[in-house]
Amino acid sequence: MNARTAIPVAYVEKLQQVLNGTGDYLTNMYGNVESRVRHFQDIENFPTITVTPGPETREDMPSNFTLCRLEVAVRVYVKNQDDAQGELEQIIGDLEKFFDKNLDMAYNLITSSGQETHKTISNTILSITTDEGLLQPQGIGEILLSVEYEKRRDY
């Protein structure tokens, strides 16, 4: 597993653990957090969060490493007859708090020499968008996240 796949998977695993309606987070996702693209019509359990990799930029640095910036799309799908936008905003608020607390997320790479654990350097929320109530009683929101990590260059 490479970093482009491993980083979203690490976010999914941690979100499944902490978004249980207790502690610092109001939202209970009931384990509905996935690392794959989903279409609204295919979602059966609401709310659902998907975390998927997007474009990546790289910058070669001295000392034999590359600084990578991976865009990660975090999509939130809700269905609520009473207040879809309210539920969506609550989940987005919990996600903002989560990303603020998890700047250096541990992730596992599978290499030819076995499994290695690495950490991201940081993350930055680039944008937050919602459907603004257009899909009521459903709702969709997206957080676009830029995640920085280091990649060793092997010659």
Side-chain angles (χ1 to χ4, degrees), residues 58 60 63-66 109 111-113 116 118 151-155:
R58 296 183 174 194
D60 289 339
S63 301
N64 202 30
F65 81 93
T66 300
L109 298 180
T111 67
S112 58
S113 54
E116 298 176 2
H118 295 260
K151 178 184 180 306
R152 298 275 318 149
R153 290 194 309 258
D154 298 319
Y155 294 108

Side-chain angles (χ1 to χ4, degrees), residues 14-62:
K14 184 91 181 231
L15 285 166
Q16 286 175 337
Q17 291 173 5
V18 300
L19 291 184
N20 59 13
T22 64
D24 292 335
Y25 304 101
L26 301 173
T27 303
N28 189 342
M29 291 303 300
Y30 303 99
N32 296 327
V33 184
E34 305 174 357
S35 61
R36 64 185 179 128
V37 174
R38 295 292 302 265
H39 299 283
F40 218 120
Q41 65 269 20
D42 297 331
I43 297 174
E44 296 175 5
N45 300 313
F46 292 93
T48 291
I49 294 173
T50 63
V51 183
T52 55
E56 180 176 72
T57 58
R58 296 183 174 194
E59 181 179 353
D60 289 339
M61 306 297 281

Side-chain angles (χ1 to χ4, degrees), residues 122-145:
S122 69
N123 69 61
T124 303
I125 293 176
L126 300 175
S127 65
I128 299 173
T129 57
T130 70
D131 67 292
E132 299 179 16
L134 293 173
L135 300 175
Q136 183 70 23
Q138 298 172 330
I140 186 169
E142 180 181 70
I143 295 176
L144 189 57
L145 190 68

Side-chain angles (χ1 to χ4, degrees), residues 80 82 110 112 115 117:
N80 184 319
D82 299 325
I110 307 294
S112 58
Q115 181 171 305
T117 299

